[in-house]
Amino acid sequence: MTDPTPEPSPDAEGQNAEQIPPPVDPQEILKAISGINLESIDADIESAFGARLAELDKMLEGLDDLVNKIESDIQNLDQPKPDGPQ
């Protein structure tokens, strides 16, 4: 039994070998396909990252305040209480 798929001719193979497309920048492909601007995505990520860092800084300040209060409370507990009237 023979395979029904035709074999490509050597001439066609030689023609295709000569038609190598030039290298293309992947960012240009992405822009062409989706219309997405990578610079705007980077800017959005940086903005969101900056906002999150600001929130984290505020949270850390609050945590520092809480730690200082707890340390102060512990120091107050460690100090001996003055004796009452004898």
Side-chain angles (χ1 to χ4, degrees):
M1 183 175 199
T2 61
D3 187 9
T5 308
E7 294 279 331
S9 69
D11 292 337
E13 216 171 89
Q15 290 172 353
N16 289 336
E18 294 174 10
Q19 298 175 357
I20 298 173
V24 180
D25 183 17
Q27 289 183 355
E28 293 298 323
I29 293 172
L30 183 61
K31 284 179 187 179
I33 292 173
S34 63
I36 294 175
N37 185 348
L38 293 179
E39 287 80 23
S40 68
I41 291 173
D42 286 342
D44 290 344
I45 290 171
E46 289 294 324
S47 174
F49 186 70
R52 291 292 183 172
L53 280 179
E55 288 178 25
L56 181 60
D57 286 341
K58 288 179 185 177
M59 291 170 62
L60 289 174
E61 286 176 15
L63 184 60
D64 284 340
D65 292 343
L66 181 61
V67 167
N68 290 335
K69 182 183 181 310
I70 291 172
E71 287 176 347
S72 172
D73 290 347
I74 289 172
Q75 287 176 358
N76 288 339
L77 290 174
D78 286 343
Q79 293 177 357
K81 293 185 180 180
D83 292 336
Q86 294 179 2

